[in-house]
Amino acid sequence: MTNTLHPNLLKPLDLGFTTLKNRVIMGSMHTGLEDRFYNYPKLAEYFRERARGGVGLMVTGGISPNRQGWLLPFGGTLNSIFDVPNHRKVTTAVHEEGGKIVMQILHAGRYGYQPFVVSASAKKSPISPFKPRALTERGIRATIRDYARCAVLARRAGYDGVEIMGSEGYLLSQFLCTRTNQRTDRWGGPIENRMRLPVDIVKQVRAAVGTDFIIMFRHSVLDLVEGGNSWDEVVQVAQALEQAGVNIFNTGIGWHEARVPTIVTSVPRAAFASVAARLRQAVKVPVVASNRINMPDEAEALIASGAVDLVSMARPFLADPEWVNKVAAGRADEINTCIACNQACLDHTFANQRASCLVNPRAGFETELVYRPATRQKRVAVVGAGPAGMAAAAVAAERGHAVILFDSSESIGGQFKLALQVPGKEEFAQTLRYFGVRLKAAGVKLALGQRVTREQLSAQEFDEVIIATGIVPRIPAIPGVDHAKVVSYVDVLQRKVTPGKRVAIIGAGGIGFDVGEFLLHDPALPLPVPLEQWCHEWGVDLDAMTHGGLAPAEQHEPPQPYRQLFLLQRKAGKPGASLGKTSGWVHRATLQRNGVEMLAGVEYLRIDDAGLHIRVGGAERVLEVDHIVLCAGQEPLAELMPAANAAPPAATPRFHCIGGAALAAELDAKRAIREAAVLAAGL
Ligand code: FAD
Ligand code: NAP
Ligand code: SF4
């Protein structure tokens, strides 16, 4: 089947000296593999799979032009001829598959997590402990030369061009904005001076690499910080950069230190595309929209309407290297959609771990997690169709095994069906759609609406039995926990009970926060949250009438919260500390904005008609609430596993236990899916 729904997305783009085969760019992502020379063979295979998947142009993770620009100590650098052979492994792999790739030159400036950091002025960033040194005139000149040398080396390594990172608050943003540029020399002051560094870099790079080499510039169209640039300045910089030799403008939204979310799952799809579209009106070269574009319909609409020329997606290519091929073949329903959770990609990067993907554990592990055809077909039973069971069944069946997947529920998905009830987590439904299609294509037999018993499992002749039965919610031993006011998060999210207007939530983990957001949502209002409402809540001015695109505070007064909530935990310390590094702050800010009282170091005394009695900070207090929702963690449900002390197991079936059934503590879907994939790859 060929695609008739997304013709504009699949159209080539002629740049004069080279042609991109379609309008889809894989945006830059730091995988961690680019930082060590011995990981370049793995990096090459990572890019090879994505080139084979049909994407028009890829951008590498950020590579520094010099030591001062390192994001991390000894981060990926291209400043010597000796680095070229490593990069050539990447470009060769990509070109063998008919793809194109540009290398991102990223100088971290004051975002560097290392002691050599430099910036426009000596102003520490809120996200790195290292105070930068202000670059001297000589230092600036040397930096420009380093960019040019880096681009020349990139060309020698076989790249089709470079992307110069000029957004997200890195060095070039630091020169461009008064927030960080307080210089009084010719590199500071008015915008003509502040833009001198990026413009000179582009001029020098262009002079060094010639005209038949892509220079893409990632331009910050909305800084989303105080002291960011005005729209007029954004345009003025773009026009000067175009004159200097830029071929394509990619767009960047928000500095890393911005207090407005720009890519987490609760950000509406394609939220910032209108700002990229405005830039397109101001320049002659192609413009790329980025951020929260993950499925082809939105992408097609942006290109078809002429709003932008290209779309950039980064994380969606971790989730599915075959994204473009699937679109081209009219199989968009087979796309493994990025749910914008950040759990295995950005959260890993910030923890200095290799980036991967929650919904695709092969991402970044292309040479290590390989699904080879099985040497002998086995009969495999998978009990539980949550993330772990779905992933195990799909991989086992694709390898050639005969798989039956049981669930007591009438539909697949396990706890993900609860997760997608949470406002802002609507994307989780995509994972269920994806697995539904994949399980069918793999020939997995579904046996839904059946609670499996041990007898059933032993009555049928299975070679392998995978127990993926998940968890049961924990019921804490609090006097009065059986009171009518007490309800489980499961019943709340399944809408079996509607809590009153004053609610206490016991447990401030991921589920406690999610239940908080669920209870704060007025069911009369639409979901997903419309873009206009989202901008109002976060104070974003998409018309960029203000510096940095931040709406004045008086224009985004928070509405009255829909419920009064208390969110409680026993341990001391910040509630929500266990939430993801790059998304936890968004959940905390949402609850804070809605006046949720978060209490740590709580002792639960009892529950009665008056409410929840607690002791906190040595003082007793009664929370006079209508309902108390238990979100106090979970226990494994593994009753189908043979007892550890039972008679020696028969040769078949072999039992395996994965996901929540194996270990409920610190369980998340990332672990559940990865464990399942690794097990099924070896059956
Ligand atoms: P489950 O998803 O619990 O699936 C187990 C399945 O087994 C169920 O479908 C059940 O019906 C079935 N079953 C049980 N016993 C039997 C039996 N005897 N016979 C047949 N079937 C049986 N994780 C994240 O990583 N990120 C998030 O943002 C996130 N948000 C969440 C939000 C909420 C509100 C909730 C509730 C969970 C969230 N999670 C999140 C957690 C994530 O959903 C779980 O970690 C994951 O679902 C665990 O997968 P699993 O397959 O081990 O178990
Ligand atoms: P959790 O994160 O482990 O939180 C459990 C909460 O219950 C903690 O606040 C804990 O705090 C409290 N608790 C534990 N035992 C208790 C007891 N006996 N009495 C009273 N309180 C108790 O687990 P969860 O919230 O159930 O989430 C399950 C998993 O889903 C998590 O591992 C999480 O990673 C995942 N998830 C992730 C997200 C996400 O956005 N990434 C969202 C939802 C869920 P105290 O012990 O201090 O009281
Ligand atoms: Fe997308 Fe989550 Fe995968 Fe990252 S881990 S690529 S955000 S689905």
Side-chain angles (χ1 to χ4, degrees):
M1 194 158 48
T2 51
N3 185 312
T4 50
L5 297 174
H6 308 100
N8 294 287
L9 195 57
L10 300 168
K11 258 190 207 151
L13 180 72
D14 185 0
L15 293 174
F17 57 92
T18 188
T19 299
L20 307 183
K21 60 183 167 192
N22 53 54
R23 304 305 181 96
V24 186
I25 293 183
M26 173 175 141
S28 174
M29 272 175 296
H30 191 82
T31 62
L33 295 171
E34 49 286 271
D35 292 335
R36 300 290 174 261
F37 72 91
Y38 49 81
N39 279 330
Y40 271 71
K42 288 179 185 166
L43 189 65
E45 288 313 300
Y46 161 83
F47 280 116
R48 180 192 292 282
E49 276 203 11
R50 283 151 183 89
R52 199 183 290 148
V55 60
L57 179 68
M58 296 187 284
V59 188
T60 67
I63 302 290
S64 180
N66 58 27
R67 192 175 64 159
Q68 289 91 342
W70 284 344
L71 205 48
L72 296 165
F74 307 104
T77 319
L78 181 55
N79 64 352
S80 141
I81 193 75
F82 297 110
D83 298 323
V84 166
N86 295 324
H87 287 270
R88 192 167 280 288
K89 293 187 177 89
V90 169
T91 56
T92 302
V94 169
H95 293 150
E96 278 173 4
E97 301 297 336
K100 284 195 164 42
I101 185 163
V102 298
M103 192 193 82
Q104 187 186 73
I105 309 181
L106 179 146
H107 188 306
R110 69 177 197 155
Y111 280 172
Y113 215 81
Q114 41 92 2
F116 307 111
V117 283
V118 292
S119 183
S121 302
K123 258 193 104 189
K124 202 177 92 56
S125 94
I127 60 171
S128 166
F130 297 96
K131 187 170 176 194
R133 184 171 55 77
L135 273 170
T136 59
E137 170 78 29
R138 217 167 130 211
I140 293 174
R141 288 271 145 232
T143 304
I144 296 170
R145 282 196 301 276
D146 290 343
Y147 269 83
R149 180 184 53 199
C150 185
V152 168
L153 291 171
R155 185 167 188 148
R156 286 184 78 154
Y159 287 106
D160 299 284
V162 288
E163 176 177 80
I164 296 175
M165 177 43 134
S167 65
E168 325 303 282
Y170 292 112
L171 181 76
L172 300 188
S173 296
Q174 292 158 29
F175 269 79
L176 279 165
C177 296
T178 54
R179 177 181 184 79
T180 36
N181 185 341
Q182 286 150 11
R183 302 176 73 100
T184 50
D185 58 6
R186 67 195 193 100
W187 306 96
I191 188 65
E192 291 74 13
N193 284 357
R194 303 201 307 272
M195 71 183 181
R196 198 183 305 279
L197 176 62
V199 171
D200 280 6
I201 285 173
V202 172
K203 278 185 192 158
Q204 296 283 326
V205 168
R206 180 54 81 205
V209 295
T211 51
D212 56 345
F213 193 65
I214 298 170
I215 300 182
M216 182 151 72
F217 190 91
R218 185 119 191 241
H219 188 31
S220 185
V221 287
L222 212 55
D223 294 315
L224 296 178
V225 287
E226 303 283 345
N229 280 340
S230 69
W231 182 252
D232 287 348
E233 289 170 329
V234 168
V235 169
Q236 196 178 335
V237 174
Q239 289 172 343
L241 288 166
E242 187 178 11
Q243 283 286 317
V246 164
N247 302 103
I248 304 178
F249 278 107
N250 195 355
T251 48
I253 308 289
W255 289 30
H256 285 318
E257 66 205 66
R259 292 291 88 186
V260 176
T262 55
I263 56 167
V264 298
T265 188
S266 54
V267 176
R269 282 189 183 178
F272 305 102
S274 64
V275 194
R278 278 183 81 194
L279 180 69
R280 188 176 188 265
Q281 302 303 315
V283 294
K284 295 185 194 70
V285 296
V287 171
V288 187
S290 70
N291 287 52
R292 284 292 284 124
I293 300 168
N294 61 351
M295 286 299 275
D297 289 355
E298 285 87 5
E300 170 69 17
L302 289 171
I303 311 286
S305 66
V308 290
D309 305 279
L310 300 126
V311 291
S312 169
M313 295 178 284
R315 298 169 300 168
F317 284 100
L318 284 178
D320 197 335
E322 282 279 315
W323 197 100
V324 172
N325 282 350
K326 286 178 181 174
V327 173
R331 297 187 283 119
D333 62 335
E334 291 179 25
I335 290 175
N336 192 2
T337 305
C338 165
I339 56 174
C341 65
N342 287 355
Q343 286 175 242
C345 51
L346 280 176
D347 285 349
H348 278 208
T349 303
F350 280 92
N352 216 355
Q353 293 170 357
R354 194 190 311 181
S356 185
C357 174
L358 180 144
V359 296
N360 174 23
R362 290 198 64 247
F365 292 82
E366 286 72 16
T367 57
E368 293 146 273
L369 181 55
V370 183
Y371 306 146
R372 295 198 173 83
T375 46
R376 173 175 79 85
Q377 189 186 56
K378 295 180 182 174
R379 282 173 47 93
V380 179
V382 181
V383 189
M390 294 189 296
V395 173
E398 284 159 1
R399 295 188 52 233
H401 296 306
V403 182
I404 178 162
L405 174 61
F406 297 94
D407 203 287
S408 48
S409 161
E410 294 292 342
S411 58
I412 60 169
Q415 290 177 67
F416 255 38
K417 287 184 288 187
L418 298 178
L420 63 88
Q421 302 300 327
V422 176
K425 282 196 164 176
E426 292 81 11
E427 293 283 9
F428 283 51
Q430 298 292 332
T431 303
L432 304 192
R433 182 262 310 146
Y434 163 73
F435 270 114
V437 174
R438 182 174 169 195
L439 290 167
K440 191 168 174 210
V444 172
K445 197 170 155 209
L446 287 181
L448 300 176
Q450 308 184 22
R451 188 154 195 98
V452 175
T453 60
R454 275 193 196 178
E455 294 68 43
Q456 250 178 305
L457 287 177
S458 46
Q460 300 182 46
E461 288 177 359
F462 293 113
D463 298 302
E464 312 275 350
V465 173
I466 300 176
I467 303 299
T469 43
I471 52 85
V472 282
R474 179 181 294 132
I475 300 180
I478 303 171
V481 76
D482 51 358
H483 192 280
K485 280 176 186 280
V486 181
V487 293
S488 154
Y489 67 86
V490 177
D491 290 340
V492 171
L493 293 171
Q494 288 180 338
R495 296 182 173 77
K496 289 185 181 156
V497 289
T498 304
K501 284 287 190 181
R502 286 171 57 84
V503 180
I505 299 170
I506 291 186
I511 292 180
F513 270 81
D514 275 356
V515 167
E517 291 193 34
F518 179 84
L519 292 175
L520 287 170
H521 178 74
D522 177 350
L525 297 177
L527 283 177
V529 171
L531 180 57
E532 200 182 333
Q533 184 191 333
W534 182 87
C535 287
H536 181 80
E537 282 172 15
W538 288 98
V540 176
D541 169 21
L542 284 181
D543 294 332
M545 301 304 283
T546 51
H547 277 257
L550 292 178
E554 61 277 12
Q555 281 177 23
H556 59 101
E557 288 289 299
Q560 274 299 98
Y562 184 67
R563 285 189 171 89
Q564 186 184 357
L565 300 185
F566 301 88
L567 182 62
L568 315 170
Q569 70 178 28
R570 296 172 303 175
K571 59 178 107 45
K574 186 170 66 173
S578 65
L579 301 179
K581 171 122 182 143
T582 59
S583 57
W585 68 272
V586 183
H587 298 294
R588 279 192 295 275
T590 304
L591 266 52
Q592 274 157 2
R593 199 175 51 232
N594 282 281
V596 176
E597 195 176 338
M598 298 188 211
L599 297 173
V602 172
E603 188 185 343
Y604 304 113
L605 302 175
R606 64 186 179 283
I607 298 163
D608 58 22
D609 291 348
L612 174 61
H613 298 250
I614 59 171
R615 186 179 294 122
V616 59
E620 288 196 14
R621 191 174 160 190
V622 187
L623 304 181
E624 294 171 2
V625 291
D626 305 310
H627 283 95
I628 294 139
V629 185
L630 298 180
C631 303
Q634 307 169 328
E635 304 286 355
L637 174 60
E639 60 198 16
L640 295 179
M641 281 299 285
N645 57 359
T652 56
R654 287 197 311 167
F655 277 79
H656 313 267
C657 192
I658 55 172
L663 181 66
E666 289 173 24
L667 166 73
D668 59 13
K670 177 180 75 173
R671 197 190 88 206
I673 292 177
R674 182 165 190 86
E675 240 174 62
V678 170
L679 171 70
L683 285 182

